Amino acid sequence: MSDQNPPALRKIIHIDMDAFYASVEQRDFPEYRGKPIVVGGKPDSRGVVATASYEARQFGIKSAMSCSKAYQLCPTAIFVYPRFDAYSSVSKSIREIFSRYTDIIEPLSLDEAYLDVTEDKLGIGSAIDIAKSIKDAIKNELNLTASAGVSINKFVAKVASDMNKPDGLTFIGPSKIKAFMEKLPVEKFFGVGKVTAAKMKAMQIHTGSDLKNLSESQLLSQFGKSGKFYYKIVRGIDDRPVRANRETKSVGAEDTLAEDTNEDSVMHDLLKQISETVAKRLEKYQLKGKTVTLKIKFEDFKLITRSRSFPLAIHKAENIYAEAIKLLNDANIGSLKVRLLGITLSRFYDEHPSEKLEDNQLEFDF
Ligand code: DCP
Ligand code: MG
């Protein structure tokens, strides 16, 4: 008899703090409030912008932009160094707030998490009410704002949380998902980077609706394994569970060279330091990773990454360093000068095969 019943729809919330680092700075230093704040390095440094307050964003300042460019855009902005301890403490507090409602919490970064509230601890029932209550707690207890997306799967909840920032709450119910996905620009699709987006545009694929015209095998042949994912996601099918205790997906560190260079000894020294930082972080989280990724940014800001995976996880600085050197050699950078190097360890856990979720369009009580 239960076979006749449709599978129960999940209630998923994605929460993301607004202008996270910058908002914490404005909260802790009242003199920064209402002003353009850039968190990263100093304007004359070679650093990049981690984030900018909404006031600074009005000048076109964005994450990952060089601090010198940010300064050009807004010379009156206040440039501050990040205070990771402060952000990490807020991060712990927001997770404590989430845990009042559910134990199924999957943090994606310090400021962002998925929550499965299909069954919530307080018996509130409505995912929209839970999201409101979480936002209120964050505001009242931490003096910060967050934006929430509420839907039946991770993908839609995440896109939704970004739609009405700051302080937004966006609900995309099951009956709205089809139209929502059809309208969505391809660059908003999970995993669609700039290169894939450009390729799609060249194929006249601009929105979900264009993407839907391609068969699964066409998508597979054009985009490889990701094509299969696009096929499902554009039909609103995302069966990825919210996985608690998988908060750390990768651990890494990166650093800008004092001067652009292609000298092996200088790059090796920096990789050694970075390997030690990564090893310390891994130790802190008690993690070992099966994939090492080397990131190389060249003087023209072009970025490449090179990865290698192993059957056994590694965590020691010397092993990370040795792998990073191999990856650097294999990258064959020739006479190109390097500006920044980074190392990331990932694949701490093996993926579980995901379960199938029916493309179910039933409305239910959110
Ligand atoms: N961050 C970073 N470097 C980046 C992007 C982000 O160091 N390239 C850091 C700073 C951000 C924090 O991570 O405050 C969270 O990233 P988000 O992408 O959520 O950005 P914000 O929270 O700053 O802004 P938004 O309101 O758009 O979420
Ligand atoms: Mg954020």
Side-chain angles (χ1 to χ4, degrees), residues 40-196:
K42 295 289 170 186
D44 53 355
S45 73
R46 294 166 53 82
V48 291
V49 175
T51 197
S53 66
Y54 281 89
E55 295 85 351
R57 291 181 195 195
Q58 286 179 359
F59 293 86
I61 300 177
K62 291 185 181 138
S63 292
M65 176 179 274
S66 72
C67 288
S68 51
K69 172 90 205 250
Y71 178 75
Q72 279 171 22
L73 290 170
C74 178
T76 56
I78 301 169
F79 288 79
V80 300
Y81 287 113
R83 293 181 303 130
F84 293 108
D85 288 349
Y87 315 143
S88 141
S89 144
V90 171
S91 186
K92 275 197 195 121
S93 305
I94 59 172
R95 286 182 201 173
E96 186 278 316
I97 292 173
F98 302 155
S99 71
R100 296 172 196 170
Y101 302 88
T102 178
D103 289 324
I104 312 177
I105 304 166
E106 182 180 332
L108 297 177
S109 68
L110 287 182
D111 91 321
E112 192 186 345
Y114 290 114
L115 279 62
D116 185 325
V117 295
T118 311
E119 285 173 31
D120 70 281
K121 285 174 163 180
L122 303 179
I124 297 172
S126 156
I128 296 171
D129 287 349
I130 295 170
K132 268 190 202 139
S133 177
I134 289 173
K135 278 164 54 71
D136 285 349
I138 291 174
K139 203 171 279 174
N140 297 334
E141 298 170 34
L142 305 174
N143 251 310
L144 292 166
T145 63
S147 294
V150 179
S151 192
I152 57 164
N153 65 43
K154 283 177 154 182
F155 179 82
V156 180
K158 185 166 161 83
V159 180
S161 74
D162 202 39
M163 286 174 60
N164 291 300
K165 265 181 171 289
D167 206 9
L169 199 175
T170 309
F171 166 59
I172 310 284
S175 65
K176 303 280 185 327
I177 289 183
K178 187 168 174 278
F180 175 78
M181 294 306 303
E182 287 177 356
K183 259 195 253 147
L184 201 65
V186 289
E187 41 284 59
K188 295 269 180 189
F189 277 75
F190 176 82
V192 174
K194 278 190 188 141
V195 177
T196 310

Side-chain angles (χ1 to χ4, degrees), residues 16-20 111-112 165:
D16 187 295
M17 301 295 287
D18 301 321
F20 184 46
D111 91 321
E112 192 186 345
K165 265 181 171 289

Side-chain angles (χ1 to χ4, degrees), residues 178-216:
K178 187 168 174 278
F180 175 78
M181 294 306 303
E182 287 177 356
K183 259 195 253 147
L184 201 65
V186 289
E187 41 284 59
K188 295 269 180 189
F189 277 75
F190 176 82
V192 174
K194 278 190 188 141
V195 177
T196 310
K199 181 172 172 184
M200 288 184 173
K201 295 212 159 142
M203 295 167 67
Q204 297 304 316
I205 304 171
H206 301 282
T207 61
S209 148
D210 301 331
L211 205 54
K212 250 186 170 171
N213 291 329
L214 274 75
S215 69
E216 191 169 3

Side-chain angles (χ1 to χ4, degrees), residues 133-339:
S133 177
I134 289 173
K135 278 164 54 71
D136 285 349
I138 291 174
K139 203 171 279 174
N140 297 334
E141 298 170 34
L142 305 174
N143 251 310
L144 292 166
T145 63
S147 294
V150 179
S151 192
I152 57 164
N153 65 43
K154 283 177 154 182
F155 179 82
V156 180
K158 185 166 161 83
V159 180
S161 74
D162 202 39
M163 286 174 60
N164 291 300
K165 265 181 171 289
D167 206 9
L169 199 175
T170 309
F171 166 59
I172 310 284
S175 65
K176 303 280 185 327
I177 289 183
K178 187 168 174 278
F180 175 78
M181 294 306 303
E182 287 177 356
K183 259 195 253 147
L184 201 65
V186 289
E187 41 284 59
K188 295 269 180 189
F189 277 75
F190 176 82
V192 174
K194 278 190 188 141
V195 177
T196 310
K199 181 172 172 184
M200 288 184 173
K201 295 212 159 142
M203 295 167 67
Q204 297 304 316
I205 304 171
H206 301 282
T207 61
S209 148
D210 301 331
L211 205 54
K212 250 186 170 171
N213 291 329
L214 274 75
S215 69
E216 191 169 3
S217 59
Q218 280 172 318
L219 283 167
L220 191 67
S221 69
Q222 287 293 337
F223 304 105
K225 244 166 74 184
S226 316
K228 256 188 144 157
F229 183 73
Y230 303 148
Y231 182 84
K232 284 176 86 175
I233 215 82
V234 76
R235 286 165 177 78
I237 308 170
D238 175 11
D239 50 5
R240 291 170 303 155
V242 176
R243 295 172 67 184
N245 308 320
R246 286 196 71 233
E247 53 193 85
T248 316
K249 293 216 168 89
S250 69
V251 170
E254 60 181 53
D255 210 346
T256 309
L257 288 143
E259 242 174 57
D260 298 339
T261 186
N262 56 11
E263 277 204 30
D264 281 343
S265 62
V266 181
M267 291 192 282
H268 291 189
D269 282 350
L270 186 64
L271 285 176
K272 191 157 200 182
Q273 282 173 33
I274 298 172
S275 304
E276 279 158 14
T277 310
V278 174
K280 271 192 207 133
R281 291 188 181 159
L282 287 167
E283 195 187 334
K284 187 169 153 197
Y285 296 112
Q286 293 289 302
L287 290 169
K288 295 178 182 184
K290 289 185 184 172
T291 299
V292 176
T293 302
L294 175 71
K295 168 171 162 183
I296 307 173
K297 194 186 269 178
F298 294 103
E299 56 186 338
D300 59 359
F301 282 81
K302 195 177 154 235
L303 187 78
I304 61 166
T305 57
R306 294 288 182 268
S307 294
R308 192 192 295 267
S309 295
F310 332 96
L312 289 176
I314 62 166
H315 66 112
K316 287 193 183 140
E318 64 222 56
N319 297 340
I320 298 170
Y321 174 63
E323 291 307 327
I325 297 288
K326 280 188 212 156
L327 288 167
L328 180 63
N329 291 340
D330 292 352
N332 261 326
I333 60 173
S335 60
L336 287 173
K337 286 194 172 171
V338 173
R339 172 187 164 85

